[in-house]
Amino acid sequence: VQLQASGGGLVQAGGSRRLSCAASGRANSRYVMGWFRQAPGKEREFVAVISWTGGYMNYGDSVKGRFTISRENAKNTVYLQMNSLKPEDAAVYYCAADLYYSGYDGSRYTYWGQGTLVTVSS
């Protein structure tokens, strides 16, 4: 499966942005989808994950209450709604997919998108 993340850009602190991740290829398979981010000089960080049905979601501590993950399986697309953005949210955001794993360990996801850059101005 191929993943294409989009929606990044420049946003002011306190603002909102929605990222999208479109899946193609074997996109009709029942993949768990996750979002991760990596800021310059920092390790990759788990942001959010959603199960195929949408019945399970989990978030990293730093984004809980501000970010929301959702998906539209008919469009093979997963979203990350980011609200109340802070300068520390600035990073390259990556989407990832796996058939089974739904945790925070990025190394266990099979497929990765190319990333989309989010810049937050203070």
Side-chain angles (χ1 to χ4, degrees):
V1 64
Q2 291 79 46
L3 304 176
Q4 180 75 38
S6 61
L10 175 64
V11 61
Q12 286 189 330
S16 298
R17 196 84 177 182
R18 189 177 80 160
L19 305 182
S20 299
C21 176
S24 59
R26 297 180 65 181
N28 58 339
S29 295
R30 298 187 174 191
Y31 290 101
V32 173
M33 299 293 295
W35 284 98
F36 291 79
R37 67 187 183 186
Q38 188 165 21
K42 295 188 176 181
E43 293 186 353
R44 183 172 59 196
E45 179 186 11
F46 167 75
V47 176
V49 64
I50 187 168
S51 64
W52 164 254
T53 63
Y56 172 77
M57 291 172 282
N58 197 18
Y59 298 89
D61 289 341
S62 62
V63 306
K64 280 181 181 176
R66 300 186 299 121
F67 290 13
T68 301
I69 190 170
S70 62
R71 66 190 299 162
E72 284 189 77
N73 290 338
K75 296 183 178 181
N76 295 319
T77 301
V78 174
Y79 305 98
L80 184 69
Q81 177 66 42
M82 306 184 294
N83 298 329
S84 302
L85 282 161
K86 305 175 181 180
E88 52 263 42
D89 292 318
V92 177
Y93 283 72
Y94 300 90
C95 57
D98 194 84
L99 277 175
Y100 305 109
Y101 185 69
S102 58
Y104 56 85
D105 184 350
S107 67
R108 297 184 63 177
Y109 285 78
T110 305
Y111 304 101
W112 287 84
Q114 87 292 354
T116 185
L117 176 64
V118 174
T119 304
V120 183
S121 63
S122 56

